[in-house]
Amino acid sequence: AQRVTQPEKLLSVFKGAPVELKCNYSYSGSPELFWYVQYSRQRLQLLLRHISRESIKGFTADLNKGETSFHLKKPFAQEEDSAMYYCALSRSYSSASKIIFGSGTRLSIRP
Amino acid sequence: ETGVTQSPTHLIKTRGQQVTLRCSSQSGHNTVSWYQQALGQGPQFIFQYYREEENGRGNFPPRFSGLQFPNYSSELNVNALELDDSALYLCASSIDEETQYFGPGTRLLVL
């Protein structure tokens, strides 16, 4: 079964502290992994995708096929990082296909 | 500004009624996907349309149907509404296999 699991509903860290949002997936094949973010009163938007291997707003995520994980990391949290984060997967190289989302983690950055 | 708009923003219906939700994609986006997001959950894929043809469907009953028009607009129709259909409905548009851009959503409440 295709599934994305985000074990933490809420993660609260202090400004300047490291952040790690966990994501594990179950998929038979080679999926493409994404992180989506939704800031307060804004629409859902793509943060990063694993094939891009880029850092967006200081966030990075590495696909670990052995552990079937795609954790999102940032070394120093900023207050503007507070948002809802969704890990998601789709068929490889086909971002317009069905996207399976996790249930989301709310990240709260304390000043 | 992604250019994807949805209407209405909020809607209240009663059980058994029918509802039509609308989405206007960015110009040139030939693919539109619809998602249902229940409270506290991630978005769930309903179906996708590519060049006015259904191009994939999630685990939703036939009373969920859609249309895509040549002018880049689309509709989600739900018949025989049930209480569990209360959710935020999102549409997302893209060009072929490129990044999906989400609309702000329509919040449906079924009483």
Side-chain angles (χ1 to χ4, degrees):
Chain A
Q2 303 166 10
R3 188 170 55 246
V4 177
T5 302
Q6 295 180 251
E8 304 138 327
K9 280 204 173 298
L10 173 65
L11 182 64
S12 183
V13 302
F14 283 105
K15 178 181 172 182
V19 172
E20 183 179 45
L21 300 172
K22 291 185 168 49
C23 172
N24 289 89
Y25 67 90
S26 172
Y27 189 83
S28 55
S30 295
E32 183 170 0
L33 275 297
F34 310 85
W35 277 97
Y36 280 82
V37 61
Q38 188 166 26
Y39 300 103
S40 178
R41 287 187 285 277
Q42 292 188 30
R43 61 189 67 189
L44 195 61
Q45 58 186 286
L46 180 67
L47 179 62
L48 55 80
R49 49 201 295 185
H50 89 270
I51 61 169
S52 300
R53 296 184 176 277
E54 55 191 347
S55 172
I56 305 292
K57 299 185 179 183
F59 285 98
T60 58
D62 290 319
L63 179 60
N64 185 323
K65 292 184 179 180
E67 296 182 359
T68 60
S69 69
F70 188 57
H71 303 326
L72 183 68
K73 299 177 184 179
K74 184 170 183 176
F76 307 105
Q78 298 172 288
E79 288 187 65
E80 53 265 34
D81 297 329
S82 293
M84 195 74 185
Y85 291 81
Y86 295 95
C87 182
L89 68 79
S90 76
R91 209 174 49 183
S92 188
Y93 309 116
S94 183
S95 62
S97 293
K98 171 184 177 178
I99 297 180
I100 300 169
F101 286 87
S103 56
T105 297
R106 181 167 299 282
L107 177 63
S108 175
I109 307 301
R110 291 176 283 177
Chain B
E1 179 60 49
T2 66
V4 181
T5 60
Q6 291 186 244
S7 62
T9 54
H10 297 83
L11 199 53
I12 299 175
K13 291 285 190 178
T14 55
R15 250 183 332 179
Q17 285 189 310
Q18 179 267 341
V19 70
T20 297
L21 309 182
R22 294 181 172 83
C23 173
S24 179
S25 303
Q26 272 186 254
S27 180
H29 283 200
N30 54 17
T31 303
V32 65
S33 301
W34 285 89
Y35 295 83
Q36 181 195 67
Q37 186 174 18
L39 204 60
Q41 300 296 319
Q44 273 197 293
F45 177 77
I46 302 175
F47 46 56
Q48 182 183 86
Y49 279 79
Y50 173 70
R51 296 187 176 182
E52 302 165 47
E53 297 285 333
E54 189 177 292
N55 183 40
R57 189 177 184 93
N59 294 325
F60 281 82
R63 60 190 184 85
F64 285 77
S65 63
L67 286 171
Q68 186 186 26
F69 303 102
N71 65 351
Y72 308 115
S73 66
S74 61
E75 290 180 354
L76 165 64
N77 298 289
V78 187
N79 293 322
L81 282 167
E82 301 177 0
L83 297 180
D84 285 348
D85 295 334
S86 295
L88 180 69
Y89 288 86
L90 299 168
C91 75
S93 74
S94 64
I95 301 173
D96 296 335
E97 306 290 285
E98 297 302 313
T99 301
Q100 293 191 22
Y101 293 91
F102 282 82
T106 293
R107 189 163 296 283
L108 173 64
L109 177 61
V110 182
L111 302 175

